[in-house]
């Protein structure tokens, strides 16, 4: 049973309740404005269907955590990713193509795209940024020689939450307040007065578990258990992979063992979800793997 006062934003239930809820869209608007501090402020957003279907029969579909558009026509895909996935950068690029195809007009069209953003909260560190200490990474199409942005129509933003280590007394702006709250809220017993924000105070109010009805509480506790089981299984698989690699006594053996451990950890977790009665489609949605990959790993 959950004993914390506030929900864990890293859970599927918690993240969507706080940031993917029409009644709480002020939270998403304020967070996006803090994230894009140098751009014109967003005044309103519209939530879009999170399941995006490919236009080509047989091609892969995509399921987003949160997908919204602004009054200025910007498109935002916002996701919480708990466990490491190989090729996550490629996955982010792939997901950005769905709004592009959705926007594409039939007939005579001049290919004028709106701005598309993917924002990824990561509970792990990406290899691509291993030498960079900051938690926030903004990726755009740029000219290699001039370093100038070639196009501002596609922006990939990665937030490595493990690298954000500031204490509450060290927070310098609204964006850092959001990162602090998202990372630490489930460990707090009350709203910190030092945040001095009416909106964040409402954010904490919306996250109070004791106010949930029975159905909401069951859904949250199921989501929390799934996240913990997934993380524990992945951690056990990685540890086993390290042991296997070290026993081989070679660096290449370590790398191979680590990957084998990750793969076995993922497969074991999927089997546990299946035994618990989850459908293949629900497993795919939670783990953010495709249905085909889930089915292959369950064979």
């Amino acid at each position: 049973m959950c004993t914390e006062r506030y929900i864990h934003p890293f859970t599927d239930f918690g993240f969507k309740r706080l940031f993917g809820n029409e009644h709480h869209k002020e939270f998403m608007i304020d967070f996006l404005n803090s994230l894009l501090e140098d751009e014109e402020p967003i005044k309103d957003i519209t939530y879009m269907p999170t399941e995006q279907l490919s236009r080509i029969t047989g091609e892969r579909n995509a399921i987003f955590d949160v997908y919204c558009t602004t009054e200025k026509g910007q498109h935002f895909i916002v996701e919480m990713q708990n466990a490491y996935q190989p090729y996550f950068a490629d996955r982010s690029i792939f997901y950005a193509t769905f709004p592009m195809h959705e926007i594409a007009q039939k007939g005579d069209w001049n290919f004028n795209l709106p701005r598309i953003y993917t924002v990824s909260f990561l509970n792990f560190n990406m290899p691509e940024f291993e030498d960079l200490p900051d938690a926030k990474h903004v990726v755009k199409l740029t000219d290699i020689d001039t370093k100038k942005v070639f196009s501002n129509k596609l922006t990939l933003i990665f937030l490595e939450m493990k690298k954000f280590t500031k204490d509450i007394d060290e927070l310098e702006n609204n964006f850092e307040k959001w990162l602090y709250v998202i990372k630490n809220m489930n460990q707090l017993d009350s709203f910190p007065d030092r945040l001095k924000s009416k909106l964040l105070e409402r954010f904490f109010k919306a996250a109070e578990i004791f106010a949930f009805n029975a159905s909401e509480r069951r859904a949250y506790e199921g989501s929390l258990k799934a996240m913990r089981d997934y993380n524990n299984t992945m951690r056990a698989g990685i540890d086993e992979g390290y042991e296997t690699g070290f026993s081989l006594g070679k660096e290449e053996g370590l790398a191979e063992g680590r990957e084998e451990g990750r793969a076995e950890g993922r497969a074991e977790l999927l089997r546990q979800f299946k035994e618990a009665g989850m459908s293949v489609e629900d497993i795919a949605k939670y783990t953010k793997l495709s249905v085909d990959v889930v089915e292959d790993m369950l064979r």
Side-chain angles (χ1 to χ4, degrees), residues 39-274:
E39 300 188 20
E40 185 179 347
I42 296 168
K43 296 180 180 179
D44 194 17
I45 60 173
T46 300
Y47 287 103
M48 308 292 287
T50 55
E51 183 172 8
Q52 298 294 302
L53 304 179
S54 172
R55 292 189 175 187
I56 304 175
T57 303
E59 291 295 313
R60 294 186 184 277
N61 299 328
I63 301 176
F64 309 141
D65 284 341
V66 179
Y67 176 28
C68 62
T69 60
T70 72
E71 79 283 0
K72 293 175 288 188
Q74 300 158 300
H75 289 241
F76 285 88
I77 297 168
V78 187
E79 295 217 297
M80 176 66 75
Q81 187 69 27
N82 265 296
Y84 169 79
Q85 284 190 18
Y87 311 113
F88 185 78
D90 292 1
R91 177 181 179 274
S92 299
I93 296 171
F94 172 71
Y95 269 29
T97 65
F98 282 83
M100 291 181 185
H101 284 287
E102 176 189 332
I103 295 158
Q105 301 173 14
K106 296 180 179 179
D108 187 15
W109 179 50
N110 63 4
F111 293 93
N112 182 26
L113 291 170
R115 293 190 179 187
I116 298 171
Y117 301 79
T118 67
V119 181
S120 301
F121 288 90
L122 307 177
N123 198 18
F124 59 90
N125 293 338
M126 290 181 65
E128 291 85 350
F129 307 126
E130 63 181 348
D131 296 326
L132 302 176
D134 294 338
K136 177 182 174 182
H137 309 283
V138 181
V139 179
K140 293 177 179 284
L141 295 172
T142 60
D143 182 280
I144 294 177
D145 294 327
T146 65
K147 310 302 181 184
K148 292 183 178 180
V149 175
F150 170 73
S151 172
N152 63 2
K153 295 302 179 70
L154 177 61
T155 303
L156 309 179
I157 302 175
F158 301 96
L159 304 173
E160 296 180 296
M161 300 300 288
K162 290 183 179 296
K163 289 183 179 178
F164 184 77
T165 58
K166 286 191 174 184
D167 197 1
I168 194 167
D169 295 324
E170 302 173 305
L171 305 180
E172 299 179 19
N173 51 50
N174 195 40
F175 172 66
E176 290 186 353
K177 287 182 180 180
W178 272 114
L179 290 192
Y180 177 86
V181 166
I182 292 168
K183 184 172 183 177
N184 298 291
M185 184 172 69
N186 70 300
Q187 303 173 38
L188 301 175
D189 296 325
S190 61
F191 175 74
D193 291 336
R194 294 179 183 176
L195 291 178
K196 297 179 180 179
S197 168
K198 293 295 183 181
L199 185 137
L200 287 177
E201 192 171 358
R202 292 195 296 273
F203 185 79
F204 272 73
K205 189 72 175 177
E208 288 182 323
I209 298 171
F210 75 85
F212 291 178
N213 59 39
S215 176
E216 290 171 332
R217 192 177 185 92
R218 284 194 299 271
Y220 172 62
E221 289 181 347
S223 183
L224 183 64
K225 183 179 185 301
M227 182 193 75
R228 288 172 174 170
D229 287 348
Y230 187 84
N231 290 341
N232 289 337
T233 303
M234 288 293 294
R235 192 176 299 113
I238 291 172
D239 290 343
E240 181 180 344
Y242 271 115
E243 292 178 6
T244 301
F246 277 120
S247 68
L248 294 175
K250 296 181 180 179
E251 188 63 30
E252 58 266 28
L254 174 60
E256 180 180 351
R258 185 161 51 238
E259 286 305 314
E260 289 177 356
R262 287 190 180 117
E264 180 56 34
R266 284 192 291 269
E268 175 59 27
L269 178 66
L270 298 190
R271 287 192 289 269
Q272 290 178 14
F273 284 168
K274 185 67 174 177

